[in-house]
Amino acid sequence: MNPAIDLILSHRSIRQFTAEPIEPTQLDAILAAAQAAPSSSFLQATSIIRVMAPEAREQLAVLSGHQPYVAQAAEFLVFCADYHRHRQIVPDAKTGYAEQLLIGAIDGALMAQNALLAAQSLALGGVYIGGIRNNPAEVSDLLGLPLHVIPLFGLCLGHPAQAPEQKPRLPRTLVVHQECYQHQLDHDLLAQYDQQMESYYHTRSGYNKQQNWSGQVRAILGKESRPFMLGFLQARGFNLK
Amino acid sequence: MNPAIDLILSHRSIRQFTAEPIEPTQLDAILAAAQAAPSSSFLQATSIIRVMAPEAREQLAVLSGHQPYVAQAAEFLVFCADYHRHRQIVPDAKTGYAEQLLIGAIDGALMAQNALLAAQSLALGGVYIGGIRNNPAEVSDLLGLPLHVIPLFGLCLGHPAQAPEQKPRLPRTLVVHQECYQHQLDHDLLAQYDQQMESYYHTRSGYNKQQNWSGQVRAILGKESRPFMLGFLQARGFNLK
């Protein structure tokens, strides 16, 4: 429809990078793009840690569940929800609410998506690393995060050394509801999508597997989801009151 | 640096719209852009409710804290974290973890930012409505949200009828940390920024006020932040275990 929309629609997560660095002017533009995102109540409750030191990157790659591209990417940015900054301005600030966790997660993601799209527009690529939440306390210690700051996710950025196929998304009508939520899942549509995903996983250029979307959901949600997260959040000042 | 980055950097929240509708092909492109966003573990844990009915829009405008543009915008999309879809596939899915709230909030925001940028590229404008979290239970009931689905925020979209000034962001060095988090806030830089914000609020074309950023933080975080949110989340199946 237009070049910006084409750019957005062309997204693929990139996990293999050349050794070429990102130019400082490009990184500047990417960070400016991140900061241009809207912010809830203009609290600007996000900090970004840019990790360059190879040893730290190696440690983060391991802590993220052995994702080597965390060490290999030209840049690795950790997006954090941050109320420490506010508390230096207002020492008795009322923090720790569940609402504030939502604000932090939402605002951080809005910024990150701006950054990723800016990078893509420069012929760079990237991938989000939710895996830093595998070991959030160790990651926080490594990055020196104070109380009231938590790591949300990482973002690898660099020059792509792969051109993966695009992963098919859920059919629009299963995701977008008109007026009210449609409680009854259309199982025929889901079956078609499962077939599409099975074919995608079977034929894509890298790491083929026998899997469909329903099977993937079953595998992930059949297990606990980082059950230590609540304890971590509480220990870091996000009491979720 | 390039048109896509210029588009991202040109963002302003738009709260006044003409009566002109958004073309169906444009809305299609906006929703496709949303769906092109990355998704954590490819769970696709987001649903979007498109609200068109004028009465529902009026109610949402009131429930959001009397924000009239919720009723006036050409389109109003409510982004939701959704584990109901998964539970229809895996009835005994392990849900309700704090981690899953994070996934839902982050993925929803990634999608929404794609949608907003796609809209901006079509000369449309918009604003996020975190205010739907003022009355999350009432909003959920109005939209017929089942258990395991919660409204995150709304997004007004339409043809702009205003051209507001851009709000200055925090200085880069207060937001982006190199290698490790810088614990000590640079109060000189903050003072400069406060002056910049005071001048912005004093001179902008709409709704002038005597305020700086520190004062705004003090006003917001001096009060409780939607203290009912935890209870709401727990009642809707997000037990935050």
Side-chain angles (χ1 to χ4, degrees):
Chain A
M1 180 155 265
N2 67 37
I5 291 175
D6 290 345
L7 177 79
I8 293 172
L9 296 181
S10 73
H11 167 76
R12 285 115 164 110
S13 292
I14 298 298
R15 294 179 174 85
Q16 291 174 28
F17 302 98
T18 72
E20 195 181 343
I22 294 178
E23 292 296 324
T25 54
Q26 293 185 321
L27 184 65
D28 272 357
I30 290 166
L31 293 172
Q35 285 202 269
S39 163
S40 185
S41 301
F42 207 53
L43 276 177
Q44 303 184 80
T46 309
S47 273
I48 299 172
I49 321 289
R50 179 189 177 211
V51 184
M52 288 161 289
E55 323 82 71
R57 288 281 208 95
E58 291 289 352
Q59 285 181 269
L60 288 168
V62 171
L63 291 171
S64 301
H66 297 277
Q67 302 197 59
Y69 26 96
V70 170
Q72 294 155 358
E75 296 287 342
F76 187 65
L77 306 174
V78 179
F79 286 78
C80 303
D82 183 350
Y83 290 92
H84 173 75
R85 194 161 44 225
H86 306 106
R87 292 184 62 95
Q88 286 180 87
I89 301 171
V90 188
D92 59 347
K94 293 190 194 299
T95 54
Y97 293 93
E99 162 68 12
Q100 291 168 337
L101 179 67
L102 283 174
I103 289 179
I106 291 166
D107 279 11
L110 298 178
M111 285 180 80
Q113 189 60 6
N114 268 8
L116 177 57
L117 290 173
Q120 285 182 204
S121 79
L122 296 165
L124 303 167
V127 63
Y128 290 118
I129 307 294
I132 64 166
R133 298 196 306 272
N134 283 348
N135 293 287
E138 290 79 356
V139 167
S140 299
D141 290 347
L142 184 66
L143 303 179
L145 303 187
L147 264 182
H148 312 292
V149 180
I150 51 160
L152 294 168
F153 50 82
L155 175 59
C156 295
L157 292 175
H159 292 267
Q162 63 173 170
E165 293 86 357
Q166 200 161 31
K167 206 183 272 188
R169 265 51 180 178
L170 276 171
R172 172 83 47 85
T173 53
L174 296 189
V175 173
V176 180
H177 308 250
Q178 307 289 335
E179 303 293 356
C180 274
Y181 191 97
Q182 293 303 313
H183 286 232
Q184 192 48 55
L185 186 65
D186 183 331
H187 284 278
D188 291 342
L189 255 183
L190 180 69
Q192 285 171 36
Y193 178 63
D194 270 335
Q195 220 158 24
Q196 196 186 1
M197 281 301 293
E198 192 164 325
S199 158
Y200 160 80
Y201 282 129
H202 190 64
T203 60
R204 68 177 177 183
S205 43
Y207 182 42
N208 299 128
K209 55 182 176 181
Q210 192 77 31
Q211 181 71 291
N212 60 27
W213 191 68
S214 292
Q216 194 174 341
V217 166
R218 197 167 291 116
I220 294 171
L221 297 184
K223 293 183 295 200
E224 295 186 310
S225 292
R226 298 183 175 130
F228 48 78
M229 187 53 70
L230 180 64
F232 165 74
L233 293 170
Q234 291 170 331
R236 299 289 164 149
F238 287 77
N239 313 316
L240 302 194
K241 55 193 173 190
Chain B
M1 180 156 268
N2 66 37
I5 291 177
D6 291 345
L7 177 79
I8 293 172
L9 296 181
S10 73
H11 167 76
R12 284 114 165 111
S13 292
I14 298 297
R15 294 179 174 84
Q16 291 174 28
F17 302 98
T18 72
E20 196 181 344
I22 294 178
E23 292 297 324
T25 53
Q26 293 185 320
L27 185 63
D28 271 358
I30 290 166
L31 294 172
Q35 285 201 267
S39 162
S40 185
S41 300
F42 208 52
L43 277 177
Q44 302 185 78
T46 309
S47 274
I48 300 171
I49 321 288
R50 180 188 177 212
V51 184
M52 290 160 288
E55 324 80 72
R57 289 282 208 93
E58 291 289 352
Q59 284 180 271
L60 287 168
V62 172
L63 291 171
S64 302
H66 296 276
Q67 302 196 59
Y69 26 96
V70 170
Q72 294 156 357
E75 295 287 344
F76 187 64
L77 306 174
V78 179
F79 286 78
C80 302
D82 183 350
Y83 290 91
H84 173 75
R85 194 162 43 225
H86 306 105
R87 291 184 64 95
Q88 285 178 89
I89 300 171
V90 188
D92 59 347
K94 293 190 193 302
T95 55
Y97 293 93
E99 162 66 13
Q100 292 168 336
L101 179 67
L102 282 174
I103 289 178
I106 291 167
D107 279 12
L110 298 178
M111 286 181 80
Q113 188 61 7
N114 268 8
L116 178 56
L117 290 173
Q120 284 182 202
S121 79
L122 297 165
L124 302 167
V127 62
Y128 290 118
I129 307 294
I132 64 165
R133 298 197 305 273
N134 283 347
N135 294 287
E138 291 78 357
V139 167
S140 300
D141 290 346
L142 184 65
L143 303 179
L145 303 186
L147 263 183
H148 311 291
V149 181
I150 51 159
L152 294 168
F153 50 81
L155 175 59
C156 295
L157 292 174
H159 292 267
Q162 64 174 170
E165 293 87 357
Q166 200 161 29
K167 205 183 271 188
R169 265 51 178 176
L170 277 171
R172 172 83 48 85
T173 53
L174 296 188
V175 173
V176 180
H177 308 249
Q178 307 288 335
E179 304 292 358
C180 274
Y181 191 97
Q182 293 304 313
H183 286 231
Q184 192 49 55
L185 186 66
D186 182 331
H187 283 280
D188 291 342
L189 255 183
L190 179 69
Q192 285 171 35
Y193 178 62
D194 270 335
Q195 218 158 27
Q196 194 186 3
M197 282 302 293
E198 191 163 327
S199 158
Y200 161 80
Y201 281 130
H202 191 64
T203 60
R204 67 177 179 183
S205 45
Y207 182 44
N208 300 126
K209 55 182 176 181
Q210 192 78 30
Q211 181 70 292
N212 61 27
W213 191 67
S214 292
Q216 193 174 339
V217 167
R218 197 167 291 117
I220 293 171
L221 296 184
K223 291 183 296 200
E224 295 186 310
S225 290
R226 297 181 177 132
F228 47 80
M229 187 53 70
L230 181 64
F232 166 73
L233 292 170
Q234 290 170 332
R236 299 291 165 147
F238 287 78
N239 313 317
L240 302 194
K241 55 192 173 190

